[in-house]
Amino acid sequence: MKRHNILYWTLAAILSMAALSSCENDEAEISPYAQIYMPQAIDKPYQHTLVLKDSAQALVFGAAYGSPDILNTTMGVQFAVAPEMVDTYNQENGTNYDMAPEGSYELSGNQVSIDGEQMRSEALKVWVTPTNGFDFETKYLLPVTIKSVQSELPINESLRTTYFLIDAEPPVYEAFSRASWTVLSVSSEEVSGEGENNGHAKHTLDDNIDTFWHTQWQGALPGLPHDIAVDMGESKLVNGFSFIQRQNRGTGNVNAIFVELSEDGTNWEQVEIFPGNLPDDNNNNPVFLKSPQNARYFRVTITSTHGNTQFTHLAEIYGF
């Protein structure tokens, strides 16, 4: 009887040790199907719209461990921005995206780790500032790729690189105070024919949509283009302007325009705007700079009108 008990417990111990050894080997063994990849790379491209403003906005990325097994170790993964991959992407997909402008993006870090039983790393961020070179309504490609892995595990090549496709939309801006704004110059104004409270360029800044600036028609009728320049009193980061047409008009509302900016009121630089014309209605219609710029002065030049008239008029001009 004692002999049977000894044999029983000896066999049980051997089986237990074998089972434990088997479990430990299973946990230590890494599946031949295990790979490292970027979860964000599943979307090709990973599209994101930013707000066109002078502050950094985050795109999130990281690494993941794909396997039926627990990793049971710590693994380092290194990332890099890969501008050279933009041309390859365009060729393979029949697109024509530009690389995000240099200086518009910055990685929060370039290395992460996947620890122990975790199947993915902590998150890193690409900080993007659209005002550092973005053109309004242009899509840019920003490839972020796995540069290296601190192990012999293979990288899933089809999910190695995340192609962030980013653009920017203008937010709703708060209009600048116009308390210190003055008219710097005007090409033409009607000083008598529209009555005491109309016709002068200053009425575009008086907060009254029922008054208006009108180009001269009494005694002379100077033709297009017409322009009005404004001193904002101090330099500001300008994102755009908005305009209210004359409310009780027949024809002559502003149609096509271009905008120039200046820091000294003497040297002017024409800037790209969107759109380049105003609708023929009574609303407050915005026009956005494709790239916000600092300026104290702005000049709006009108090159055509609704109705193809030689004269034109405006009720209000705002900036933001």
Side-chain angles (χ1 to χ4, degrees):
M1 186 70 174
K2 291 182 179 179
R3 182 180 178 188
H4 287 297
N5 286 339
I6 293 171
L7 289 174
Y8 172 81
W9 290 113
T10 301
L11 180 60
I14 292 172
L15 291 174
S16 297
M17 290 176 65
L20 180 60
S21 175
S22 175
C23 289
E24 289 175 350
N25 288 336
D26 286 346
E27 290 182 357
E29 183 181 352
I30 296 177
S31 167
Y33 303 104
Q35 291 184 328
I36 301 299
Y37 67 99
M38 293 185 72
Q40 297 77 17
I42 294 172
D43 293 325
K44 298 183 182 298
Y46 187 92
Q47 298 192 55
H48 197 91
T49 297
L50 305 171
V51 177
L52 189 63
K53 62 181 181 180
D54 191 25
S55 62
Q57 297 155 70
L59 306 174
V60 178
F61 67 95
Y65 169 70
S67 173
D69 300 314
I70 296 172
L71 182 59
N72 202 29
T73 187
T74 298
M75 181 181 304
V77 181
Q78 190 171 17
F79 296 94
V81 176
E84 70 278 2
M85 301 185 74
V86 172
D87 288 341
T88 302
Y89 181 93
N90 284 332
Q91 291 171 7
E92 291 178 351
N93 295 278
T95 53
N96 192 32
Y97 298 125
D98 291 330
M99 174 65 189
E102 186 176 354
S104 68
Y105 58 87
E106 182 179 5
L107 297 184
S108 64
N110 64 358
Q111 189 158 338
V112 296
S113 61
I114 304 174
D115 297 325
E117 297 184 359
Q118 299 298 316
M119 300 300 286
R120 62 177 59 209
S121 72
E122 69 272 26
L124 289 177
K125 296 177 180 178
V126 187
W127 290 105
V128 183
T129 306
T131 52
N132 291 350
F134 272 43
D135 283 335
F136 178 59
E137 288 205 329
T138 299
K139 292 182 180 294
Y140 296 96
L141 209 59
L142 179 57
V144 178
T145 191
I146 296 175
K147 184 178 180 181
S148 63
V149 175
Q150 191 181 8
S151 79
E152 296 181 358
L153 277 179
I155 300 170
N156 185 328
E157 291 299 329
S158 66
L159 299 177
R160 181 173 192 150
T161 303
T162 299
Y163 292 94
F164 290 105
L165 182 61
I166 47 180
D167 60 356
E169 291 184 350
V172 177
Y173 292 97
E174 183 179 356
F176 297 142
S177 168
R178 299 186 297 171
S180 61
W181 286 23
T182 57
V183 175
L184 177 68
S185 66
V186 63
S187 61
S188 173
E189 61 182 350
E190 181 52 54
V191 297
S192 59
E194 294 291 344
E196 181 180 354
N197 294 319
N198 275 317
H200 298 84
K202 66 182 181 180
H203 293 302
T204 60
L205 308 177
D206 66 1
D207 285 321
N208 185 351
I209 64 172
D210 293 322
T211 62
F212 54 86
W213 160 54
H214 199 299
T215 57
Q216 184 183 6
W217 56 264
Q218 185 165 268
L221 189 63
L224 298 169
H226 294 295
D227 63 76
I228 179 171
V230 174
D231 178 1
M232 295 186 288
E234 62 180 356
S235 182
K236 299 176 180 293
L237 180 65
V238 180
N239 294 280
F241 303 93
S242 64
F243 305 86
I244 299 179
Q245 304 271 23
R246 177 182 172 180
Q247 300 295 286
N248 60 339
R249 82 282 179 196
T251 58
N253 268 2
V254 174
N255 184 10
I257 64 172
F258 66 84
V259 174
E260 297 165 286
L261 299 179
S262 174
E263 283 284 17
D264 59 11
T266 301
N267 300 293
W268 298 88
E269 178 185 358
Q270 186 171 336
V271 294
E272 288 190 90
I273 57 173
F274 179 87
N277 61 281
L278 303 181
D280 190 15
D281 62 25
N282 287 355
N283 299 324
N284 188 355
N285 292 295
V287 170
F288 298 95
L289 271 63
K290 288 195 173 182
S291 297
Q293 296 187 31
N294 288 296
R296 171 172 171 170
Y297 304 87
F298 67 87
R299 181 164 63 193
V300 179
T301 299
I302 298 138
T303 58
S304 72
T305 68
H306 293 284
N308 296 317
T309 59
Q310 292 299 304
F311 63 86
T312 193
H313 33 66
L314 266 175
E316 296 292 317
I317 301 175
Y318 303 91
F320 50 84

